[in-house]
Amino acid sequence: MHGVGGTQQPANLATANDSNVQTDKGFFGQLKVTVVEGVRNILSANYSSIPDNAKLASRNIAVLASALQPLVNESDNAGAKDSSQDFEQALKKASNNPKSLKLFSQINQELEKIQQLQEELSELYSTNDRLLRIPGAVNGPRYTEVKAQITECQNGMAGAKQKGTRAQQKFNKMVDPQLKIDFDALQVPEEKRSPESAKDVAKYEKMKTDLLKRQEPVGLKRP
C-alpha cells in the first residue's frame, strides 16, 4: 500500500459467517465494503418505531424515580418538622419577654380597633348611599351627620394603623424571624385575602393563643 492517493488493494471489512445472514457488497471509492442486510434494514426503518431496549430503559428510569420519591418526602417532612420546632422555640422565647408581650398586645388592640371601625364605616357608607337617593337629603342634617361620622372613622383607622405599625416594627426587631408579622396583611378582610396574607393571619392567630394569655391584665402588678 502506498501513501495517500496511492494504489490500494480492495479490503473486505466485514465477513458474514452465518449462511442465514444476507449481505450486500459494494465499492465506495477504492474500498470494498460488506454491509450486513440486517443493519441496512434498521437504518431504512421508520424512526417512529421505538426499539424494545429503549422502552426498557424508560421503564427503568421510572422505577428509579419512584424509588427515590420516599426519600424526597422524608426530607420535606423533616424540613417542615424543623420549621415547626423553630417556631415553637421562638414563641416560647417571646413569651418570656415582657416587652415583646406588651408590644404584641398593643398590635392586637390596634387591629381590633381597625376591624371595629371598618364595620362601622361599612354601615355608614350604606346609609350615605341611601341618603343620596332621596331628593334634597344632601342639604339635610342627617346627611351632614353621616359625612362627619365617616370622616371620624377614617381618621380613627389611620391613627390605629399608625400606632399598630410602629408597634409591629418594634416587635419584629425583638423577636426571632419566625415570629415577624406584617401589620398590613393582617388588616385585609377575609374575602380579599391572598394565600400569603391568609398564611400571615393563621400564624398571627396561633401567636395570639400563646402570647396574649401570658400578658398580665392591665392594672395588676407582680408581687
Side-chain angles (χ1 to χ4, degrees), residues 173-187:
K173 290 180 180 179
M174 299 182 64
V175 298
D176 292 340
Q178 294 83 359
L179 300 187
K180 293 183 185 298
I181 56 179
D182 185 345
F183 192 79
D184 290 334
L186 298 176
Q187 300 175 54

Side-chain angles (χ1 to χ4, degrees), residues 11-17 23-25 32-36:
N12 190 342
L13 299 182
T15 303
N17 295 326
T23 62
D24 285 345
K25 298 180 180 180
K32 181 178 179 181
V33 180
T34 300
V35 181
V36 180

Side-chain angles (χ1 to χ4, degrees), residues 152-167:
E152 184 180 357
C153 280
Q154 290 173 337
N155 291 338
M157 289 178 61
K161 181 176 181 179
Q162 187 177 20
K163 292 179 181 178
T165 301
R166 285 200 300 263

